[in-house]
Amino acid sequence: MNLDDRINTLTTLVRNRTDHGQGQGSAFYYQHLSPKEGDKPQWRNVLNTWLVTNRHVVLPKVQDAEIVPTELCFHLRRVISGRLSWSPYRLSRDQLHERVRLHPSPIVDIAAIEIGDLLEGIVRDDKGEYQGLVPWNAVGPDDFAGQNKISIEVSDDVLVIGYPRGFYDTVNLFPIVKGGIVASRWGAHFCGAPHFLIDAKLFPGSSGSIVVSKPRELVLENGNLLMAKEKQYAFLGVYSGEYQVKETPVELEDLIIVQKSGYNVGIVWYAQLVEEIVTSGVKIQTSGS
């Protein structure tokens, strides 16, 4: 699979529906793999496949309270009569309660939805044959920065792959790929939270987008120049929105105004948090609707 195919089949459009309205975001596929045996390249079993997005996409807030959508829909690409079409798959509230996993820390804005068994059922029909679905691509722990010989530092170029404001190539069903740079110290927890910042102009609907390093075919390791046959990227994290700081509240008679300041930088939760969630995450606690 070439770079274009890998990038363009990594993500999907997601929509949620509540009693209060609808929302839209981005998501991508993540594979949980069996443990490695030694450091040599090897085949590894795919233990499960997960759909990863933001916590606030799976549990939107109404009056500052998280609620469980009545429905959350993700999409697969299907060829119908020679044309690409979205093939929606809808998850009910009960299914979300059963399949969603969150980080034990509620500040982590990531949610993972177990879909491996669902994909197996969707891909094949009753006769065991494929149903025109376009294969999807996924990232996993082997794609973390440092695991695939790609190292990251501040000012490095990154890509954010998603569906800003629901915008995408409606004919080919390709997402939008936007660029930016690492804007805070890589590996550090910015202001104590397990995320870093990127300098990139993004929009609502980009929530849940995957963030990867700019693809490259050359890396420097221990003074040696290594070259790959095809460009490679590292999975860096999950974008969740613009970084904002609340100013000191201003009281005007019976009205309190809280101003927020933004800096055109975005929050990206570190990729390793996804693996923590799929291995030891917690289920949805709220029953709100």
Side-chain angles (χ1 to χ4, degrees):
M1 185 179 290
N2 62 35
L3 179 65
D4 271 329
D5 289 338
R6 288 159 54 204
I7 289 289
N8 287 313
T9 58
L10 188 57
T11 64
T12 181
L13 185 70
V14 291
R15 294 190 173 95
N16 61 43
R17 183 188 300 274
T18 72
D19 296 334
H20 306 273
Q22 299 183 57
Q24 179 264 320
S26 304
F28 60 92
Y29 302 103
Y30 182 86
Q31 290 179 333
H32 180 43
L33 305 178
S34 60
K36 293 185 71 172
E37 298 179 2
D39 296 327
K40 295 182 179 180
Q42 57 196 260
W43 292 97
R44 299 171 67 185
N45 291 330
V46 176
L47 300 180
N48 211 334
T49 300
W50 298 77
L51 187 70
V52 178
T53 185
N54 286 146
R55 178 179 178 130
H56 76 257
V57 172
V58 174
L59 297 176
K61 286 187 176 182
V62 175
Q63 297 180 346
D64 292 328
E66 291 183 327
I67 63 173
V68 184
T70 55
E71 176 185 279
L72 186 139
C73 178
F74 69 95
H75 300 77
L76 298 172
R77 296 170 178 86
R78 187 188 301 275
V79 179
I80 300 177
S81 300
R83 298 184 61 182
L84 278 170
S85 300
W86 283 125
S87 181
Y89 194 94
R90 295 175 174 82
L91 297 170
S92 67
R93 180 177 289 161
D94 288 343
Q95 287 177 304
L96 293 174
H97 273 288
E98 182 63 29
R99 293 179 175 276
V100 170
R101 295 294 182 274
L102 307 167
H103 197 275
S105 172
I107 71 166
V108 175
D109 193 13
I110 302 176
I113 307 171
E114 184 180 2
I115 60 170
D117 60 322
L118 299 179
L119 291 177
E120 180 62 26
I122 296 169
V123 167
R124 297 179 183 274
D125 58 21
D126 294 338
K127 297 180 180 179
E129 297 178 352
Y130 290 96
Q131 306 178 72
L133 287 175
V134 177
W136 56 87
N137 182 36
V139 291
D142 289 350
D143 297 303
F144 294 161
Q147 295 295 316
N148 61 353
K149 299 187 181 300
I150 294 177
S151 59
I152 303 297
E153 56 189 2
V154 67
S155 81
D156 277 354
D157 292 325
V158 300
L159 304 181
V160 184
I161 309 167
Y163 305 83
R165 292 179 177 166
F167 177 63
Y168 61 95
D169 181 343
T170 56
V171 173
N172 298 296
L173 307 187
F174 293 155
I176 302 300
V177 180
K178 302 203 70 176
I181 65 168
V182 177
S184 63
R185 183 181 179 91
W186 172 256
H189 287 195
F190 188 82
C191 288
H195 58 60
F196 64 98
L197 302 183
I198 58 173
D199 182 0
K201 186 172 180 59
L202 299 167
F203 300 92
S206 297
S207 295
S209 294
I210 187 172
V211 180
V212 301
S213 63
K214 185 176 181 179
R216 63 184 81 165
E217 66 270 333
L218 296 174
V219 296
L220 189 64
E221 182 182 56
N222 299 324
N224 297 316
L225 193 62
L226 305 178
M227 182 174 183
K229 292 182 179 180
E230 295 182 353
K231 288 184 177 180
Q232 305 295 317
Y233 54 79
F235 169 35
L236 304 184
V238 187
Y239 175 80
S240 71
E242 183 180 5
Y243 187 87
Q244 295 182 328
V245 176
K246 293 183 179 180
E247 305 292 345
T248 302
V250 177
E251 296 188 23
L252 300 174
E253 297 182 354
D254 296 332
L255 182 66
I256 298 178
I257 299 176
V258 179
Q259 183 176 347
K260 294 181 179 180
S261 296
Y263 304 93
N264 279 335
V265 291
I267 296 170
V268 182
W269 299 90
Y270 282 108
Q272 287 80 358
L273 295 166
V274 178
E275 184 69 11
E276 293 177 15
I277 290 171
V278 302
T279 56
S280 57
V282 298
K283 290 187 176 183
I284 295 174
Q285 303 300 314
T286 180
S287 59
S289 60

